[in-house]
Amino acid sequence: MWHLFPTGAETVHELRALHHVNKQKVVTRIFRAKEFGSTDDLKKAFVLAASELNQRGFNIYVNLNPINSDFIGRAARDKDIAYRDLLLIDIDRIGNTKQPATDEEIEKAKDLGCSVSKYLENLGWPNPIRVMSGNGVHLYYELSDVDNDASSEALIKRTLNNLANRFKTPEVGIDRSVYNASRITKVPGTIMRKGQETEERPYRMAVLF
């Protein structure tokens, strides 16, 4: 969690919780480092809130990129992002995604993730941080404080489209829509719920692997 989303003296983290049954139930909490005694205190408060909401049936998300330190509001928008420091490649199954994934579908997403990361490694990219998102795979590539502007958004959008075209399979593919600066992403260590859980399609915790 904290390797993906570094926390310093000026950090603002948004926790967004979406209920997996009642889609109208959304809880947003803002954690400003300057309002806590230390960054460790902020982290503890964030984890406590995430755990409590997760146990109540909410799926837990955080902003992919850093929020401006002077942010005022309930939910960050693209203009509120200071810069981009992560590229998300979101790999999920194709077709009906309203129910949890099967183990086989998760393995197919992991296999495609390996193919994508090997391809990018051959182009000189670093190794990504890998997360099993609960129903698929997230590859997080660290960026060097890329400006939050229109040209950066266009570049990331083209990158995702090119990868999606190259690596699409009948079973799994790359999400083309996760290019916006204020994108939220799943919090590792929380259970991700969608639809009805069954023995074949269980709810799973998002974890690094």
Side-chain angles (χ1 to χ4, degrees):
M1 169 70 190
W2 303 116
H3 181 64
L4 272 172
F5 309 109
T7 302
E10 299 296 317
T11 295
V12 177
H13 286 309
E14 175 191 335
L15 184 159
R16 198 177 305 177
L18 311 178
H19 199 275
H20 82 286
V21 175
N22 185 348
K23 306 302 183 183
Q24 303 304 313
K25 289 181 68 175
V26 179
V27 176
T28 302
R29 296 183 184 174
I30 303 299
F31 296 79
R32 296 179 175 85
K34 63 183 180 182
E35 296 175 358
F36 291 85
S38 68
T39 54
D40 283 343
D41 289 342
L42 181 154
K43 292 176 182 179
K44 290 175 183 177
F46 187 101
V47 169
L48 183 64
S51 299
E52 187 269 334
L53 287 164
N54 197 218
Q55 290 173 9
R56 287 168 48 194
F58 288 85
N59 291 325
I60 312 300
Y61 299 83
V62 67
N63 284 90
L64 183 66
N65 296 301
I67 300 173
N68 286 317
S69 60
D70 60 354
F71 170 71
I72 300 296
R74 292 187 58 195
R77 294 179 289 178
D78 287 350
K79 68 180 181 63
D80 300 312
I81 299 302
Y83 55 87
R84 294 175 181 263
D85 67 352
L86 285 174
L87 167 67
L88 168 61
I89 298 176
D90 183 0
I91 300 170
D92 204 349
R93 65 194 188 279
I94 292 174
N96 181 10
T97 60
K98 294 183 179 180
Q99 303 300 325
T102 64
D103 289 345
E104 181 181 6
E105 289 167 341
I106 293 290
E107 290 306 310
K108 287 181 178 178
K110 286 183 176 180
D111 288 344
L112 187 62
C114 287
S115 297
V116 172
S117 61
K118 287 179 181 177
Y119 168 76
L120 294 175
E121 182 181 0
N122 289 335
L123 295 178
W125 288 45
N127 289 325
I129 300 169
R130 296 174 171 85
V131 173
M132 193 285 292
S133 64
N135 292 289
V137 167
H138 289 175
L139 303 179
Y140 294 94
Y141 283 90
E142 295 179 278
L143 305 175
S144 297
D145 297 353
V146 173
D147 290 339
N148 175 24
D149 57 22
S151 61
S152 297
E153 179 173 295
L155 176 60
I156 289 174
K157 189 174 184 178
R158 287 198 305 272
T159 299
L160 293 177
N161 279 330
N162 289 339
L163 291 172
N165 290 335
R166 178 179 289 272
F167 288 100
K168 183 177 180 179
T169 76
E171 296 86 14
V172 291
I174 294 172
D175 190 340
R176 303 169 185 264
S177 69
V178 297
Y179 57 84
N180 60 304
S182 60
R183 172 65 49 175
I184 56 174
T185 189
K186 296 170 184 175
V187 172
T190 60
I191 302 295
M192 305 311 300
R193 303 175 178 91
K194 61 166 57 178
Q196 181 61 51
E197 180 181 34
T198 66
E199 183 176 353
E200 183 185 22
R201 296 181 177 276
Y203 297 145
R204 298 180 183 85
M205 178 179 289
V207 294
L208 276 70
F209 70 95

